[in-house]
Amino acid sequence: MAKMFSMEASVQMRLYTLTKREFVLVFVAFFAAFGISVLVGIAGPSVQFMESTNATKLGEQNVNVATGPFSLRSPAFSRFNQQLWLTALFYIKKGTGENIEKNFILSVELQGQNEDSIVEPLSTDTFNHTRTLRCRHEGCEELIIFHLGTIEYTSYIVNIRLFGLKEFNVQEITFNWRSFNPSFTQVEIWFRFVFLVMTFIVTCMFAHSLRKFTMRDWSIEQKWMSVLLPLILLYNDPIFALTFLVDSVVPLMLDSVFQASFLCTLLLFWLCVYHGIRQSKRKWSTFYLPKIILVGLLWASAISLACWQQYQEKHDPTYDYRVDSGNYLAMKIFFFFFGGVYLLYLLFLVIRAFTELRTLPYMNLRLRFMTMLMLFVVAISFSIVLLRFGIRVLQDNYISQLSTYYKNSAEFLTFYGLLNFYLYTMAYVYSPSANAHKDSYFKENPNFAMLNDSEDEIIYGSDSDDNVHTSLTGSHRYHDDTDDETFK
């Protein structure tokens, strides 16, 4: 005997009334908008500004390249450079096929020079940390000397000493000043603002379309969209401009919190929808709580790493949690373990939902639409990550912090465009249909009617059905039809 499901009554979604042509146009519009954002990103400026200095050309006499001291002055920066890194690339003469892995002490003194040419020390203490130099047959890994999350001075003066590398034949050290390209910063500001305005408009329109219906009558997708749309407003960071106006790490921390909160809520949305679509009774303790705990652990680990790093760097720019904190490896294992549990759980829910609901046309349509969009979002995200990092995404390397920032404008607009247009598409499709006010208690079980229709006719309708519907509703329109056309 077939398993029976308890289907809840809900507001009829636009998804149910789309014809085949309209259904295809929805996907064409989504892919076109996403493709345009990628093309604009490709044509945009490079993300990174870099200026290099060699240790042997600093003009200092009788200085051992393996020990220093090295005194470096940075180029002039503005707040539009956002952040500043100083990295070092070692060139060591070694035997063919020889690998080197050596711990040494890095000593750094950091001073800032303002527009009035007044030099001020960033700290009265000298920053001393142990670093590991790793060299393979293709060369040595690039090391981060220091990282500043905000640029408070026009230029910086750095004094560097190395202890523990005398035994190696260090031929050259290339110091690289890295920061964000001011042109990219302007592109980022404008597109964040554009997405913020577009998201605000879509959010208002979606809320306006549901104003006639009580929340208890909303479908599970509509309830979750009312959560995701405000969160993607935060993901677009309405306070991003404060980064250039105040000398504080708080805007950076809030940006990390906003992004992690939206992404983890999106993960929670997928779990709840694939599970909740099969049942109408969703108890807090048995349905929501386990999922919130699972995703909450991922959220807490991401937030703790990002905020702790930014807080520590404010007091010690040479701090690096990967090598200065013994808890980093444990946190990394923790994150990947629960990330794996999440993927297995989501896969189980997807397979079970399709197995149990594939014979119900409306349910099958909801599953197919949601899964196609989700798979596209996941595939694009994983493709960019793998193409960018490869296997290094699972490895410890000192330059990984710098690598996690966007490499070009295309990556930035791809991620932001993908997630924003994904939400806009779902907001349109999950909004109430034009006649939803006449079917406020639409029963989401198509087996009660249309027993003799084909699945395509049930889902997309037929020409004869459209004509009959037009003749029946043409003379019985509500006076406030314009309100129901908000999303049309």
Side-chain angles (χ1 to χ4, degrees):
M1 181 179 292
K3 185 176 180 179
M4 300 298 294
F5 299 96
S6 175
M7 300 297 176
E8 62 180 341
S10 67
V11 178
Q12 187 183 45
M13 295 184 290
R14 188 181 299 274
L15 178 66
Y16 296 146
T17 63
L18 293 177
T19 64
K20 288 182 179 179
R21 181 177 60 184
E22 293 170 338
F23 195 77
V24 171
L25 286 177
V26 168
F27 278 93
V28 170
F30 169 72
F31 290 128
F34 173 71
I36 291 173
S37 66
V38 174
L39 292 176
V40 172
I42 293 175
S46 61
V47 171
Q48 193 177 118
F49 164 83
M50 186 179 74
E51 183 173 307
S52 300
T53 302
N54 291 330
T56 57
K57 296 181 181 180
L58 291 176
E60 299 177 358
Q61 301 295 328
N62 301 321
V63 174
N64 189 340
V65 179
T67 60
F70 309 105
S71 181
L72 296 90
R73 180 182 292 272
S74 74
F77 294 110
S78 69
R79 290 190 181 273
F80 285 98
N81 290 100
Q82 298 192 45
Q83 303 181 42
L84 176 62
W85 290 265
L86 176 62
T87 65
L89 187 59
F90 288 77
Y91 295 90
I92 297 179
K93 185 177 181 180
K94 56 186 180 63
T96 304
E98 180 184 0
N99 295 328
I100 296 175
E101 186 166 335
K102 173 67 176 178
N103 292 333
F104 67 98
I105 302 297
L106 174 65
S107 179
V108 178
E109 295 178 1
L110 191 57
Q111 298 173 312
Q113 181 175 332
N114 58 26
E115 295 179 352
D116 298 327
S117 300
I118 299 176
V119 178
E120 301 175 354
L122 269 66
S123 175
T124 56
D125 300 325
T126 300
F127 304 114
N128 297 299
H129 293 281
T130 300
R131 295 291 183 260
T132 303
L133 177 65
R134 294 185 176 91
C135 298
R136 303 291 183 263
H137 62 279
E138 65 275 8
C140 299
E141 293 180 356
E142 192 170 4
L143 303 179
I144 293 181
I145 304 298
F146 72 85
H147 169 231
L148 294 174
T150 58
I151 297 179
E152 303 176 8
Y153 294 91
T154 304
S155 61
Y156 292 88
I157 301 171
V158 187
N159 295 311
I160 301 173
R161 292 178 179 271
L162 308 175
F163 302 94
L165 295 179
K166 284 186 177 181
E167 59 191 88
F168 297 103
N169 186 7
V170 181
Q171 296 181 317
E172 183 64 277
I173 302 176
T174 299
F175 295 102
N176 299 313
W177 297 97
R178 300 176 184 266
S179 67
F180 284 97
N181 186 350
S183 299
F184 167 76
T185 299
Q186 296 179 13
V187 170
E188 183 179 10
I189 292 173
W190 276 107
F191 274 96
R192 278 181 181 255
F193 177 74
V194 169
F195 283 130
L196 183 67
V197 173
M198 291 173 60
T199 303
F200 179 76
I201 294 173
V202 171
T203 303
C204 292
M205 294 174 67
F206 185 78
H208 183 73
S209 68
L210 285 170
R211 75 195 185 284
K212 292 184 178 180
F213 309 98
T214 60
M215 187 174 294
R216 68 183 181 186
D217 297 328
W218 296 1
S219 68
I220 187 172
E221 293 94 336
Q222 291 167 339
K223 292 176 181 177
W224 272 102
M225 288 304 300
S226 66
V227 176
L228 288 172
L229 286 173
L231 282 177
I232 201 172
L233 275 172
L234 297 180
Y235 178 81
N236 292 323
D237 198 358
I239 62 171
F240 180 68
L242 286 179
T243 306
F244 312 102
L245 299 177
V246 298
D247 297 329
S248 174
V249 297
V250 173
L252 293 174
M253 289 185 177
L254 289 177
D255 186 45
S256 300
V257 172
F258 293 158
Q259 295 198 35
S261 298
F262 168 74
L263 293 174
C264 288
T265 304
L266 184 62
L267 298 179
L268 184 61
F269 160 73
W270 289 335
L271 290 181
C272 291
V273 170
Y274 277 107
H275 191 187
I277 200 173
R278 297 186 290 108
Q279 60 186 55
S280 59
K281 296 181 180 180
R282 310 179 187 104
K283 295 182 179 180
W284 173 262
S285 59
T286 58
F287 182 85
Y288 289 105
L289 187 58
K291 299 177 180 62
I292 291 176
I293 292 176
L294 176 59
V295 177
L297 292 172
L298 297 175
W299 178 85
S301 61
I303 291 298
S304 60
L305 282 177
C307 293
W308 179 253
Q309 172 79 358
Q310 291 165 357
Y311 174 79
Q312 289 292 336
E313 285 181 348
K314 183 65 176 178
H315 301 86
D316 180 2
T318 62
Y319 177 83
D320 191 333
Y321 63 83
R322 284 171 294 272
V323 291
D324 294 329
S325 175
N327 297 323
Y328 171 66
L329 180 60
M331 185 68 72
K332 188 175 180 180
I333 295 174
F334 177 89
F335 182 84
F336 280 108
F337 173 78
F338 284 102
V341 172
Y342 172 87
L343 292 176
L344 293 176
Y345 186 34
L346 179 61
L347 183 62
F348 166 77
L349 292 177
V350 171
I351 294 175
R352 189 171 180 182
F354 273 99
T355 302
E356 296 178 352
L357 302 177
R358 67 179 183 273
T359 58
L360 302 180
Y362 283 138
M363 294 299 167
N364 192 24
L365 176 62
R366 291 167 69 181
L367 288 173
R368 283 189 293 175
F369 173 79
M370 184 167 52
T371 304
M372 282 190 290
L373 276 183
M374 183 191 71
L375 289 178
F376 180 78
V377 171
V378 172
I380 293 296
S381 302
F382 271 97
S383 297
I384 293 176
V385 170
L386 291 178
L387 288 174
R388 177 73 191 281
F389 304 113
I391 195 174
R392 291 185 302 147
V393 73
L394 301 176
Q395 295 177 342
D396 287 328
N397 58 78
Y398 299 133
I399 203 62
S400 60
Q401 178 189 352
L402 187 58
S403 300
T404 55
Y405 290 91
Y406 302 108
K407 188 176 182 180
N408 50 58
S409 299
E411 288 185 5
F412 164 72
L413 286 177
T414 295
F415 276 116
Y416 270 82
L418 178 68
L419 294 176
N420 280 276
F421 293 131
Y422 173 55
L423 266 291
Y424 303 162
T425 303
M426 290 197 297
Y428 173 79
V429 172
Y430 293 146
S431 62
S433 64
N435 297 307
H437 61 278
K438 300 177 183 179
D439 301 303
S440 299
Y441 297 96
F442 179 79
K443 198 71 175 177
E444 293 180 346
N445 191 341
N447 290 337
F448 291 117
M450 302 174 289
L451 295 176
N452 297 322
D453 292 338
S454 68
E455 181 174 330
D456 286 345
E457 289 176 343
I458 290 173
I459 296 175
Y460 302 107
S462 62
D463 295 336
S464 61
D465 291 338
D466 293 338
N467 295 334
V468 171
H469 174 73
T470 302
S471 64
L472 288 176
T473 60
S475 60
H476 298 285
R477 295 186 180 275
Y478 283 73
H479 293 292
D480 55 354
D481 275 352
T482 55
D483 294 333
D484 300 316
E485 297 295 329
T486 303
F487 255 79
K488 193 163 183 178

